[in-house]
Amino acid sequence: SCLCGSAPCLLCGCCPSAKNSTISRLLFTFFLFLGTLVSVIMIIPGVEKELHKLPGFCEGSGSVLGVQTHVDCRSFLGHKAVYRMGFAMAAFFCLFAVLTVCVRSSKDPRAALHNGFWFFKFLVLVGITVGAFYIPDGTFTSVWFYFGVVGSFLFILIQLVLLIDFAHSWSQRWLREASESNAKGWYAALCTVTFVFYAASIAAVALLYVYYTKPQGCTEGKALISINLLLCLVVSVVSILPKIQEAQPHSGLLQASLITLYTIYITWAALANVPVQRCNPTLLVRNSTSTATTAEPPTTWWDASSIVGLIIFILCTLFISLRSSDHPQVNKLMLTEEGGSGPGPGEAAEPGAHPLPLDFVLGVSYNYTFFHLCLLLASLYIMMTLTNWYR
């Protein structure tokens, strides 16, 4: 069967020529997006109200994150379901990260586990998901929350690396076009994009000061915005210093402006979870007096920062799957072969191409274990984003 062999599916044969390794990464990313879609469905109000029929969700748990509350457990069923879906995805990718440790050649039998058997992989993911929904609540939510915090933080660092790499490639390509065609329009376009990013960042900072701080109080919010703004200014100045330009000729304000905008978004996401209504007008408030007799338990809706986070998550995970950086330092950090131009595992060179060394042809173009760990962290990040970090 094509679903169980090395070819992912019949449809892939109709697609343009692509590396087997790239197709494998896209299919694993599809599994991640599928789990994300299920998580989104779980927090839809109509579905959330039906989750109380599952055993164990509210048994033995009168607390939220270990803190005793009077909140009706039914109010958090969607969040608890997302946590179990996140656990299932993390366990799935952790399993394949362990199975593919130290795979350096396509001749390794474990390489087939990464590049084939997709039907069985889907069954494994479904089985882990079903089992996760039967985990008794108890301390599971409280403990898994801290795993989610640490994993999300690490994935944010990976997002930063990917954004810098993307901006670097963007700047390098436009500067190359400007030098080859001797056209001033490329420089104007580069300056325009950089200006738009900085203008959006300044406008966002102004809005953060207006909506998330008060003249009296809200000291933490003021400090957080001011410190991050100061650090963004430092990064912008450093990026154009002569020493930096000598070491990285293509370094410039485009990278700094994109990272500034992303930093302001992270600041916004943090302020949107401050548990003080006066300093956080977008705080999602739960009805702390709801009981089992309440006709309609309160419902959690996403806020704008969560939606933006979901979009960034989708773009970054696709970039992880498709990226082929021309920056050696990024390739070394992301454990990817430089250029990524070699054939994938089990593929031969194209007709007419120069013969490649045998060890390169049979080698892997990226580290399987590191790729699965990235998806593991991504599953934790989307779990925390969809639940508003459970606050």
Side-chain angles (χ1 to χ4, degrees):
S1 173
C2 63
L3 290 175
C4 304
S6 59
C9 61
L10 288 175
L11 292 178
C12 296
C14 305
C15 298
S17 59
K19 303 176 189 176
N20 191 31
S21 59
T22 302
I23 295 175
S24 298
R25 284 184 284 183
L26 285 174
L27 286 173
F28 274 112
T29 304
F30 170 75
F31 283 166
L32 178 63
F33 288 164
L34 184 63
T36 302
L37 178 61
V38 174
S39 299
V40 171
I41 294 174
M42 289 298 175
I43 55 179
I44 295 176
V47 177
E48 187 181 29
K49 289 188 293 186
E50 297 297 322
L51 291 175
H52 72 278
K53 298 178 181 178
L54 293 176
F57 256 42
C58 290
E59 295 176 4
S61 176
S63 65
V64 178
L65 291 181
V67 179
Q68 294 294 327
T69 66
H70 298 287
V71 180
D72 184 7
C73 178
R74 293 181 301 165
S75 305
F76 288 93
L77 289 180
H79 284 52
K80 293 176 183 291
V82 172
Y83 265 48
R84 281 159 175 77
M85 193 66 222
F87 174 82
M89 290 192 294
F92 176 77
F93 292 120
C94 181
L95 173 63
F96 282 94
V98 172
L99 292 176
T100 56
V101 168
C102 297
V103 173
R104 294 289 181 265
S105 169
S106 60
K107 277 189 157 184
D108 193 316
R110 292 176 297 161
L113 294 176
H114 177 82
N115 295 300
F117 304 101
W118 296 104
F119 178 72
F120 294 108
K121 288 176 182 175
F122 178 75
L123 292 182
V124 169
L125 179 58
V126 171
I128 296 176
T129 302
V130 173
F133 275 84
Y134 284 91
I135 298 176
D137 195 49
T139 59
F140 168 78
T141 304
S142 301
V143 173
W144 193 240
F145 167 80
Y146 294 102
F147 277 93
V149 169
V150 175
S152 301
F153 168 72
L154 295 177
F155 187 72
I156 287 174
L157 297 182
I158 293 176
Q159 283 184 330
L160 283 171
V161 174
L162 295 175
L163 288 173
I164 295 173
D165 182 34
F166 170 74
H168 176 86
S169 301
W170 187 358
S171 175
Q172 190 176 27
R173 187 175 296 108
W174 281 16
L175 290 175
R176 187 188 304 118
E177 292 288 343
S179 60
E180 292 177 354
S181 61
N182 197 23
K184 302 294 184 181
W186 292 104
Y187 293 109
L190 197 63
C191 293
T192 301
V193 172
T194 303
F195 173 78
V196 169
F197 284 164
Y198 274 122
S201 301
I202 294 173
V205 168
L207 292 174
L208 292 181
Y209 274 117
V210 170
Y211 288 102
Y212 291 93
T213 63
K214 300 292 181 183
Q216 303 295 330
C218 301
T219 307
E220 293 179 355
K222 295 176 183 176
L224 186 61
I225 300 172
S226 301
I227 291 174
N228 285 337
L229 178 60
L230 178 62
L231 292 176
C232 290
L233 292 175
V234 171
V235 167
S236 300
V237 173
V238 168
S239 65
I240 57 176
L241 291 178
K243 289 290 185 180
I244 301 298
Q245 292 295 318
E246 292 176 8
Q248 296 287 346
H250 295 285
S251 175
L253 290 176
L254 178 62
Q255 294 94 315
S257 64
L258 183 59
I259 294 303
T260 297
L261 188 60
Y262 181 75
T263 303
I264 300 304
Y265 157 71
I266 293 294
T267 306
W268 174 36
L271 293 174
N273 287 278
V274 172
V276 179
Q277 185 71 39
R278 182 171 178 269
C279 302
N280 181 11
T282 60
L283 181 65
L284 297 173
V285 180
R286 289 285 183 173
N287 181 5
S288 61
T289 60
S290 62
T291 63
T293 59
T294 305
E296 289 292 333
T299 302
T300 299
W301 297 90
W302 297 345
D303 53 10
S305 62
S306 297
I307 297 175
V308 175
L310 180 62
I311 295 173
I312 296 175
F313 156 79
I314 293 174
L315 295 178
C316 285
T317 48
L318 285 176
F319 193 51
I320 289 174
S321 301
L322 299 173
R323 65 175 299 279
S324 179
S325 177
D326 54 1
H327 201 287
Q329 293 177 341
V330 175
N331 283 316
K332 183 177 180 181
L333 181 64
M334 301 295 289
L335 302 179
T336 307
E337 291 292 338
E338 293 187 12
S341 57
E347 293 185 357
E350 295 181 1
H354 294 289
L356 295 172
L358 183 62
D359 58 343
F360 186 79
V361 173
L362 296 177
V364 294
S365 59
Y366 60 97
N367 188 293
Y368 292 165
T369 298
F370 183 79
F371 171 72
H372 289 298
L373 289 177
C374 287
L375 295 188
L376 187 158
L377 298 177
S379 63
L380 295 177
Y381 173 80
I382 196 61
M383 178 187 76
M384 301 303 292
T385 300
L386 292 179
T387 59
N388 293 300
W389 297 78
Y390 218 104
R391 294 301 185 184

